[in-house]
Amino acid sequence: MVDVVVFRRWQDRSGDIIALFPELPADVHGRYCNSYMHTGQHGGADYHSVIQHTVPVEPKQYAELAEELRLVGYNLRPVQHASRRHHDQRRATARQMADTTSPNKDKP
């Protein structure tokens, strides 16, 4: 499995790098994507809001975070921006997860 990732840098003073996984849901509805930062590590993120408050980064700027992600098991495929297909995939994955964990899935 390949993990599509968008790396961005916050525009505030911290300048921290964030990794957004547009295909990986962070909630049961797929509204939020999974994200990762050195500080705080995994969390849910509103993809579009993060894009508005961050700027693109070059590979050398996100290399350290990418290496950390590889060490925890990610198989990264960096992209500049998520497409509609990536967001659709996230929502479909969330639906599948909800269907398999629903306590009423076997009831008529």
Side-chain angles (χ1 to χ4, degrees):
M1 180 177 155
V2 175
D3 301 301
V4 174
V5 61
V6 177
F7 289 101
R8 305 281 291 191
R9 182 176 53 80
W10 291 103
Q11 295 182 48
D12 63 11
R13 287 185 221 195
S14 74
D16 289 340
I17 306 295
I18 184 169
L20 297 167
F21 296 93
E23 293 184 337
L24 301 179
D27 65 290
V28 297
H29 303 290
R31 290 185 191 121
Y32 301 103
C33 69
N34 202 359
S35 69
Y36 189 94
M37 291 177 57
H38 285 301
T39 306
Q41 303 192 334
H42 285 101
D46 179 330
Y47 177 87
H48 299 289
S49 180
V50 172
I51 293 298
Q52 288 179 334
H53 294 94
T54 58
V55 295
V57 291
E58 298 294 323
K60 67 181 180 179
Q61 294 172 294
Y62 66 73
E64 189 177 318
L65 185 59
E67 183 58 25
E68 185 175 333
L69 288 165
R70 286 184 188 97
L71 289 173
V72 297
Y74 285 93
N75 180 18
L76 302 176
R77 184 177 63 141
V79 297
Q80 288 295 314
H81 294 285
S83 68
R84 177 185 290 277
R85 185 189 63 76
H86 295 125
H87 297 297
D88 289 346
Q89 178 62 45
R90 178 179 71 247
R91 288 185 286 274
T93 299
R95 279 191 303 273
Q96 289 173 343
M97 290 169 56
D99 288 347
T100 60
T101 61
S102 173
N104 297 322
K105 72 175 184 146
D106 295 328
K107 292 185 179 180

